[in-house]
């Protein structure tokens, strides 16, 4: 029982930390001067270039920390082995968030920069690695009698996140034919915010699942093995 308390507390800490991150980043949308950033056209990283840049950095780092706590809870509760695609997805997401803070958004109007390129690559890694990890985690418990609802919610949120990314891909592919820059062809800020909310939902869903799994007296891995779940 003592071994199962640590994952449970880690899961609860993950949920609380992610919730605090959402609060901090949400306030940037309504409190000046950050509120002047258009949530429809401008990306979330734009807040780093305002006077509220420190608050943005804190919010993103809180999200990364909450995600790491959730990852540890998922492993500790026995939902996934440490060496698995799902855990790798969570790890890449968390590390990429920290990289986004270390290399802030660049003003591309003044020309390219190495830091701006790293920021852009890290953003793509973050937005893609977590939903892929969620799909893998959800699929591994898809038919389990105890955890199939959690698994299917996790899988569904992962699919939703990937679908949220499709307008960006479509705009990039269509750019040679439309002649419109891909970031102007779509409401990039709105698309990114919907995508970010879906990914926060993945972390919260995993944390809740891990908290429930850790609260069981029997190890979920043993339960899965004995039931024949994949």
């Amino acid at each position: 029982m003592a071994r199962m308390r640590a994952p449970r507390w880690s899961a609860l800490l993950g949920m609380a930390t992610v919730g605090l991150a959402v609060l901090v980043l949400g306030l940037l949308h309504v409190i000046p001067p950050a509120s002047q950033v258009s949530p429809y056209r401008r990306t979330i990283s734009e807040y780093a270039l305002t006077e509220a840049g420190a608050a943005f950095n804190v919010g993103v780092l809180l999200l990364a920390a909450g995600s790491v706590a959730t990852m540890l809870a998922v492993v500790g509760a026995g939902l996934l082995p440490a060496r698995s695609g799902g855990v790798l997805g969570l790890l890449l997401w968390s590390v990429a968030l920290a990289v986004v803070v270390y290399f802030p958004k660049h003003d591309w109007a003044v020309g390219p920069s190495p830091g701006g390129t790293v920021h852009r690559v890290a953003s793509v890694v973050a937005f893609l690695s977590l939903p892929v990890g969620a799909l893998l985690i959800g699929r591994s418990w898809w038919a389990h009698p105890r955890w199939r609802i959690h698994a299917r919610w996790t899988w569904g949120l992962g699919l939703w996140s990937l679908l949220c990314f499709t307008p960006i891909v479509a705009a990039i592919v269509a750019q040679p034919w439309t002649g419109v820059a891909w970031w102007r062809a779509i409401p990039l800020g709105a698309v990114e915010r919907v995508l970010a909310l879906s990914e926060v939902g993945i972390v919260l869903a995993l944390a809740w699942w891990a908290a429930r799994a850790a609260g069981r007296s029997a190890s979920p891995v043993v339960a899965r093995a004995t039931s024949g779940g994949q």
Side-chain angles (χ1 to χ4, degrees), residues 130-217:
L130 182 61
V132 170
L135 292 177
L136 293 173
I137 296 169
R139 188 68 187 91
S140 66
W141 291 89
W142 189 262
H144 191 275
R146 177 179 291 174
W147 303 122
R148 62 176 176 265
I149 294 178
H150 288 280
R152 293 175 186 186
W153 265 104
T154 301
W155 189 92
L157 287 168
L159 179 61
W160 176 26
S161 292
L162 290 180
L163 290 176
C164 288
F165 207 83
T166 54
I168 298 175
V169 175
I172 293 173
V173 171
Q175 183 172 322
W177 289 274
T178 63
V180 179
W182 67 268
W183 61 88
R184 297 185 184 279
I186 59 173
L188 183 57
V191 170
E192 189 184 76
R193 282 163 176 79
V194 172
L195 175 59
L197 285 174
S198 69
E199 306 220 345
V200 166
I202 291 173
V203 179
L204 291 176
L206 286 172
W208 175 245
W209 186 0
R212 291 202 63 199
R216 300 283 183 171
S217 57

Side-chain angles (χ1 to χ4, degrees), residues 103-104 106 108 111-121:
F103 294 94
H106 175 67
W108 292 93
S113 75
T117 300
V118 172
H119 176 93
R120 179 173 285 181
V121 171

Side-chain angles (χ1 to χ4, degrees), residues 13-25:
L13 177 63
M15 284 190 283
T17 307
V18 170
L20 183 58
V22 171
L23 177 62
V24 171
L25 295 173

Side-chain angles (χ1 to χ4, degrees), residues 19-147:
L20 183 58
V22 171
L23 177 62
V24 171
L25 295 173
L27 287 175
L28 293 176
H29 290 71
V30 297
I31 297 179
S35 60
Q36 298 174 6
V37 174
S38 170
Y40 186 74
R41 283 290 176 187
R42 298 295 184 177
T43 64
I44 302 173
S45 296
E46 192 81 19
Y47 295 119
L49 303 181
T50 70
E51 295 177 12
F56 168 81
N57 291 340
V58 168
V60 175
L61 290 176
L62 283 171
L63 180 56
S67 300
V68 170
T70 297
M71 178 186 69
L72 295 176
V74 166
V75 174
L79 293 176
L80 282 176
R83 295 183 179 180
S84 64
V87 170
L88 178 61
L90 277 166
L91 180 61
L92 286 175
W93 153 261
S94 304
V95 172
L97 289 178
V99 173
V100 163
V101 170
Y102 191 80
F103 294 94
K105 180 180 176 65
H106 175 67
D107 183 2
W108 292 93
V110 301
S113 75
T117 300
V118 172
H119 176 93
R120 179 173 285 181
V121 171
S123 298
V124 173
V125 170
F127 283 134
L128 289 179
S129 60
L130 182 61
V132 170
L135 292 177
L136 293 173
I137 296 169
R139 188 68 187 91
S140 66
W141 291 89
W142 189 262
H144 191 275
R146 177 179 291 174
W147 303 122

